[in-house]
Amino acid sequence: MNDWQVICKVEDIPVLGARRVARARGGDVAVFRNDQNQVFALLDRCPHKGGPLSQGIVFGTSVACPLHNWTIGLEDGCAKAPDEGCTTKFACRVESGDVLLDPVELATLAIDVAPAQSA
Ligand code: FES
């Protein structure tokens, strides 16, 4: 079992927004918080044309991409129909108010993709 890495506190993430986690290799990870204080982590890259999902607006368990307004599910990273495609999802936990990510996933998932486009 991996040692989970503390990223920040839940309250460090704006409600209905996100915080970006930079990685040495690969694109940034966006950690989202919704109005129920649920926290989700996705690659900060829209499956459409690479928009920065961390700059989108969270609603329910989805985020609206800031570039062309696709709706991306925070639980699976996938676009809602009729749009198609998924971005990489990262495991995420909250413990005692701390947000934790899996360091193995941070080091290995989606390390071959380009960074998000600017909005
Ligand atoms: S890049 Fe996200 S909707 Fe187009």
Side-chain angles (χ1 to χ4, degrees):
M1 185 168 147
N2 303 322
D3 288 329
W4 289 67
Q5 184 175 332
V6 176
I7 300 298
C8 61
K9 294 280 189 193
V10 173
E11 60 256 34
D12 294 334
I13 308 170
V15 177
L16 304 182
R19 182 182 175 108
R20 261 199 315 241
V21 179
R23 298 193 294 166
R25 296 170 65 207
D28 292 350
V29 175
V31 183
F32 302 89
R33 175 183 178 190
N34 70 9
D35 59 1
Q36 303 298 310
N37 284 327
Q38 292 176 290
V39 176
F40 308 88
L42 299 178
L43 185 69
D44 189 18
R45 194 173 193 287
C46 179
H48 179 215
K49 291 190 175 176
L53 296 175
S54 60
Q55 294 176 34
I57 302 293
V58 172
F59 58 100
T61 54
S62 300
V63 60
C65 177
L67 290 198
H68 315 100
N69 212 33
W70 279 24
T71 297
I72 311 299
L74 294 173
E75 292 171 313
D76 60 5
C78 293
K80 305 292 185 192
D83 300 319
E84 293 181 349
C86 298
T87 196
T88 304
K89 173 187 181 332
F90 290 78
C92 182
R93 291 182 10 198
V94 174
E95 249 174 44
S96 306
D98 290 328
V99 176
L100 299 99
L101 296 179
D102 179 341
V104 173
E105 287 193 358
L106 287 174
T108 59
L109 289 187
I111 54 174
D112 55 347
V113 297
Q117 317 259 313
S118 299

